[in-house]
Amino acid sequence: MAGSKITKELQRDRKGPLKGVPVSAGFGQGYAYYLREGIGFSEIYFREAGNVETEISRFEEAVNQSEQQVLRVCHYVEAELSMDEMAIFQAYLMFLKDGGLKSKVIANIRGGHVAEYALKEVILNYLKTFARIEDPYIRQRGMDVENIGKRILRNLLGLGDGETGVFERDTILIASSLSPAELIRARQEKLRGIILSKGGETSHVAILSRSFEIPMVINIPGLPEKIRENDFLIMDGNSGLVYHNPSEVIVREYQRLEEERTRQDKSLDAIRTLPAETRDGFTVRLGANIGILSDMLLVERYGVDHIGLYRTEFPFLARDGFPTEEEQASLYRRILEAARGKEVTIRTLDVGGDKFLSYLDYPKEENPYLGWRSIRVSLEMKDVFREQIRAILRASAYGRTKILFPMISSVSEIKEIIAIIKEEKGNLKARGISFDDAMQTGILAEVPAALIILDRLLPYVDFISIGTNDLVQYVLAVDRNNPKVASIYNPLHPAVISLIANAAELCRKYNKPLVICGEAAANIRCAYLYLGMEIEGLSMNAASAPMIKNMIRSANLHDARQALQQVLAMEDSESIGNFLDNVVP
Ligand code: PEP
Ligand code: MG
């Protein structure tokens, strides 16, 4: 790939670049901007107002600024969020315009409080009232009040927009870490790249940045000492290098690399509409993993056959409360319509681990990836789960839909789910709502237990998908987000390969299709082994699909099978990696 080599020109830069781990490819150029840390009301103490009128106009100005900021965020997310999702922002605006809020704060100021403290008192009172409300939906609206209160507070303190605001020039966002929700909010036209001091290659924020095609480099500790706000940066999401205030030579070299990359993209473009078929005639179905509606543009651009994984939690993360059945049904319908006849595998909510909903109370856990996560949350919060299942069923009337359940580890879970689907189909029928009665059901095999008892799970499902991101972390006991152990997180570990190869054989025996949808599907060496297992489908970030297709079209199934047999006898990932480097076409 064009950017992955460090040319002599780049090595010659005397200042020397910073080196991190590249997790989302591409080059980004722009000015450094640090994500502002959050501020809360607990830091606001009572002070007397000096001049009451000044305090009132400070407060009114902060409310105006907040309104403008919310309107700008609305503008950026408009294309991707459904009308219903946009309603959150409308609610914010209404609250800002609400005479009640304003008059209460102004009354407090007149009572002698400085604006910040006057605001704090009013917001905390609102929160107390919301906390007493029985209806969970309305109770959660307290979050909206708190968010908007914090926004006004930031403006009062002159801290600007807590959610990054609108970048007027090319910007590289810097933070110690970033949640998927923060990334969704920060994403905008002039965001050219992201640098984090922490993070992991298969963390959800990395996955999301690949899907947004935002270059990302992680694991550069001590960033504030190395990069100042407004420094000009070039960051390379292929090699992990970050140049601050680079010399002319570097800038020119990156322009050249960018042009080379565009040429390579064009050559891959030539195979866009061709099948991923080996020289000896075996075809793999190449799919895309998507998270939001605008990913469908990438699906078109990179020519994939299906959507192998739609991670539904991203729309949940972009909001401040659980979307309703109606809201979800209309969003999923839009995805299916945009798929234009391509099959879409919709995965039910997979929160916990490193994806936390701001409006859901999580237990304090030592090991969130081993805790209350994914299907475990869904099976406990049955109302939310049933709403999502109904929404997916309803959307299935508008396109080829499959439903996928994450993190399954026992037969009893899948039996319980099947019973719920049956009941919800009955409910929809009773309401006269149409859906695809034959919608296929599958499980995401990502907990080792599921692969070990796959023969017992297979009779209950129509298909299997393997999520290598979690499978690798659970098989090797390596946290997918922990930089300290990142070097031993390896999908080429013989234990991982053997488990997947056994699963492929079993699926063939039971005649159930198998798709691999973790990031390893986009790793050319892993993909060659999966080809050798005669896997039906590979699903990945759409931008990697042309490269994998190119490899498959240059390969022979016969050779890939033989390579797999040799690999299955090898001792460690190093020998496997070296061997594959020599045989992968
Ligand atoms: C996986 O674990 O490989 C997977 C596809 O799911 P996620 O990355 O969303 O956990
Ligand atoms: Mg997973």
Side-chain angles (χ1 to χ4, degrees), residues 1 9 32 38 62 80 86 91 147 180 217 221 241 245 262 282 300 304 309 322 394 396 420 504 548 570:
M1 260 175 84
E9 281 71 15
E80 275 146 32
M86 289 294 291
N147 284 342
V217 172
L241 297 180
N245 299 325
T262 313
F282 180 79
E300 286 295 313
V304 292
L309 174 66
F322 285 109
R394 287 170 62 170
S396 71
I420 292 175
I548 297 295
M570 290 181 184

Side-chain angles (χ1 to χ4, degrees), residues 207 210-211 276 284-291 295 298-299 302-311 465-466 468-469 515-524 526-528 530 535 537-552:
I207 291 172
R210 285 193 280 279
S211 114
V284 179
R285 294 178 67 221
L286 282 194
N289 296 348
I290 66 161
D295 279 336
L298 305 181
V299 167
Y302 295 109
V304 292
D305 313 324
H306 65 125
I307 286 88
L309 174 66
Y310 168 32
R311 291 180 167 96
S465 186
I466 292 185
T468 54
N469 302 336
V515 172
I516 295 194
C517 71
E519 295 302 301
N523 171 321
I524 207 147
C526 296
Y528 188 61
Y530 303 151
I535 248 138
L538 293 173
S539 189
M540 63 200 71
N541 64 85
S544 299
M547 173 191 71
I548 297 295
K549 190 190 277 185
N550 200 28
M551 180 278 284
I552 293 173

Side-chain angles (χ1 to χ4, degrees), residues 202-204 207 289 309 311 313-314 347 350 354-355 369 373-374 404 406-407 444-447 465-474 480 489 516-520 539:
T202 58
S203 65
H204 288 100
I207 291 172
N289 296 348
L309 174 66
R311 291 180 167 96
E313 47 282 357
F314 293 128
R347 181 180 73 182
D350 183 2
D354 66 350
K355 284 177 290 191
Y369 269 117
R373 184 192 167 196
S374 195
L404 178 66
M407 222 191 158
L444 191 56
E446 50 186 348
V447 176
S465 186
I466 292 185
T468 54
N469 302 336
D470 279 313
L471 185 64
V472 173
Q473 85 163 342
Y474 293 137
R480 64 195 262 185
Y489 179 98
I516 295 194
C517 71
E519 295 302 301
S539 189

